Amino acid sequence: MQISFLTKEDVPSVLAIYAPYIEKTTITFEEEVPAFAAFEKRVTGIAEHFPFLVAKEGDTLLGYAYLSPYAERSAYRYTADVSIYLDENARGRGIGSALLEALEAEGKARGFRVLISVITEENAASRRFHEKHGYRAAGLLRAVGVKFGRTLDVSLYEKIL
């Protein structure tokens, strides 16, 4: 497995991995799969300013991880939001851990001091994953999301780099 920075050629595979999370889960609060052009603009825009990593075996994209702004105010410039998504057939192989470790190293090298992960409260696997990697629970936002007709809480996890 190789971890590298996102290229334009990776975008279709990134969207293919992300779409089932939108359509079938509450892991993301996005409710409609974006059109390809809009998604491409979004991810390449993120990659221009923040680390956006992909994990591949040969030409097969297994997952991706990126940092994005935690909040827009300038005082938050050393804090970033963490996102990690894996192909459903790539889970349980250590790919998420490898992506997170590479992402944290790249974030630290770019001057980030704190990473935040916003996790749907019912996503116990993600909470355990982050705790395993040194993130700690920093707060609970109650009833802030509604997806599939359900009201959802969100946990905030943080890691000081």
Side-chain angles (χ1 to χ4, degrees):
M1 177 189 64
Q2 271 97 19
I3 295 177
S4 59
F5 289 101
L6 175 84
T7 67
K8 270 190 118 172
E9 292 74 31
D10 297 323
V11 177
S13 295
V14 168
L15 182 55
I17 287 172
Y18 186 48
Y21 286 94
I22 297 168
E23 297 167 331
K24 301 175 187 175
T25 78
T26 59
I27 289 170
T28 177
F29 280 7
E30 193 153 6
E31 296 182 278
E32 293 184 23
V33 177
F36 179 78
F39 187 77
E40 181 177 45
K41 183 177 180 183
R42 179 194 313 176
V43 298
T44 57
I46 292 168
E48 286 177 14
H49 304 287
F50 292 86
F52 197 124
L53 305 176
V54 296
K56 293 181 181 178
E57 277 181 351
D59 291 333
T60 303
L61 200 136
L62 305 170
Y64 64 94
Y66 63 91
L67 296 180
S68 60
Y70 170 68
E72 294 299 322
R73 302 283 189 256
S74 63
Y76 292 110
R77 69 187 169 277
Y78 301 110
T79 302
D81 184 17
V82 175
S83 295
I84 303 172
Y85 293 93
L86 300 179
D87 182 272
E88 60 189 348
N89 298 313
R91 295 182 193 135
R93 298 173 43 195
I95 296 164
S97 293
L99 278 166
L100 181 59
E101 290 165 14
L103 190 64
E104 288 175 354
E106 186 63 32
K108 190 172 186 176
R110 293 185 188 205
F112 290 101
R113 298 178 183 161
V114 180
L115 299 183
I116 305 290
S117 191
V118 180
I119 304 169
T120 307
E121 181 61 19
E122 65 186 19
N123 189 352
S126 184
R127 291 196 324 270
R128 284 191 305 272
F129 171 82
H130 283 81
E131 289 167 359
K132 175 180 141 186
H133 290 282
Y135 288 72
R136 71 172 192 86
L140 177 66
L141 304 174
R142 297 194 183 277
V144 294
V146 177
K147 188 169 180 183
F148 304 135
R150 296 178 19 235
T151 301
L152 301 161
D153 299 341
V154 169
S155 294
L156 299 176
Y157 275 70
E158 67 180 356
K159 184 174 185 178
I160 309 298
L161 299 177

